[in-house]
Amino acid sequence: MSLTDDALTYIETIKGFMDPDEGRALYDMALDVLSGFPQALSVEIGSYCGKSTVYIGEAVRQCGGLLVSVDHHYGSEENQPGEAYFDPDLADPETGGMSSLALFRRTIRGANLEDVVVPVIAPSRMASRVVRGDFGFLFIDGGHSMPAALDDYRLWATRVMTGGVLAIHDVFPNPEDGGRPPYEIYKLALASGFFEEIKVVKSLRFLRRL
């Protein structure tokens, strides 16, 4: 089953940095993996305004599961005022920074995914202490500093169940193409002996838990 034209049209209206080819790959992989794990929990680390959440959430809905979306919604380093990826529409006058929470909730409501997506409004490290169990699908697209990326990998990837899939976004082998932390945790996953790479779509890497 593929994404409907209505879903694709809606996704195009959502703010975010997810390439359409990568987004469709997320949907396809989540649907494929979760069809073998009925009602297995899925987790997304880093949702921003919800574009990737809708891609994954549509697959999760079809498989009867839930998607836990972890994000403090204050943005990554590059999303702050004065930085390259700051969006004035998301400026938060109360903090002087940014907040994507209101737009994220509007996105999920507009996609009719409020009965599928469970938002956890907290940093990755804190959320890892309250989200329990193993996962069929894990998507890491959180903070791109080295400490943040290491937290996302070390605290969450070990909980992907055997046969489940870990997806990592913004993996750039060439330093000129992007930041290093997602690439570094991708290499850690491969070197661990617990994951094998099964698919590459642009900067998106899919690894199956052995």
Side-chain angles (χ1 to χ4, degrees):
M1 190 175 295
S2 60
L3 285 163
T4 65
D5 289 341
D6 286 346
L8 290 171
T9 298
Y10 179 67
I11 287 170
E12 289 177 0
T13 71
I14 304 169
K15 288 181 182 290
F17 310 102
M18 177 63 61
D19 177 273
D21 291 339
E22 294 175 334
R24 290 187 181 92
L26 267 182
Y27 168 83
D28 289 340
M29 184 63 72
L31 188 63
D32 180 63
V33 172
L34 296 174
S35 65
F37 298 102
Q39 301 186 354
L41 191 66
S42 297
V43 175
E44 170 187 59
I45 309 296
S47 53
Y48 193 51
C49 297
K51 187 182 288 283
S52 59
T53 316
V54 174
Y55 278 116
I56 301 170
E58 288 289 344
V60 170
R61 176 181 12 218
Q62 293 180 42
C63 295
L66 293 174
L67 170 61
V68 175
S69 183
V70 176
D71 198 314
H72 49 57
H73 288 284
Y74 290 134
S76 299
E77 297 82 356
E78 65 272 16
N79 302 135
Q80 303 309 313
E83 299 300 324
Y85 293 99
F86 174 65
D87 186 334
D89 291 345
L90 302 179
D92 185 349
E94 182 178 350
T95 65
M98 61 81 69
S99 176
S100 55
L101 179 57
L103 200 51
F104 171 79
R105 295 195 65 171
R106 189 182 309 156
T107 293
I108 301 312
R109 184 169 58 251
N112 296 314
L113 287 172
E114 289 185 302
D115 60 345
V116 174
V117 177
V118 183
V120 176
I121 316 303
S124 173
R125 176 174 286 273
M126 185 184 297
S128 72
R129 299 174 60 186
V130 295
V131 178
R132 302 296 183 185
D134 295 333
F135 322 128
F137 189 82
L138 171 65
F139 176 52
I140 295 180
D141 191 22
H144 284 13
S145 70
M146 200 65 219
L150 284 173
D151 271 355
D152 293 344
Y153 173 69
R154 290 171 174 168
L155 297 174
W156 298 90
T158 56
R159 296 165 63 184
V160 176
M161 61 181 62
T162 300
V165 165
L166 163 65
I168 305 175
H169 194 222
D170 292 332
V171 175
F172 298 109
N174 183 348
E176 296 180 357
D177 294 333
R180 306 307 291 158
Y183 178 65
E184 296 300 330
I185 64 169
Y186 157 75
K187 290 198 302 181
L188 286 175
L190 289 179
S192 72
F194 291 107
F195 291 96
E196 64 174 356
E197 186 171 86
I198 56 174
K199 189 172 184 178
V200 175
V201 179
K202 297 184 176 178
S203 76
L204 185 58
R205 301 295 189 273
F206 294 100
L207 302 98
R208 189 180 305 281
R209 178 71 188 264
L210 300 172

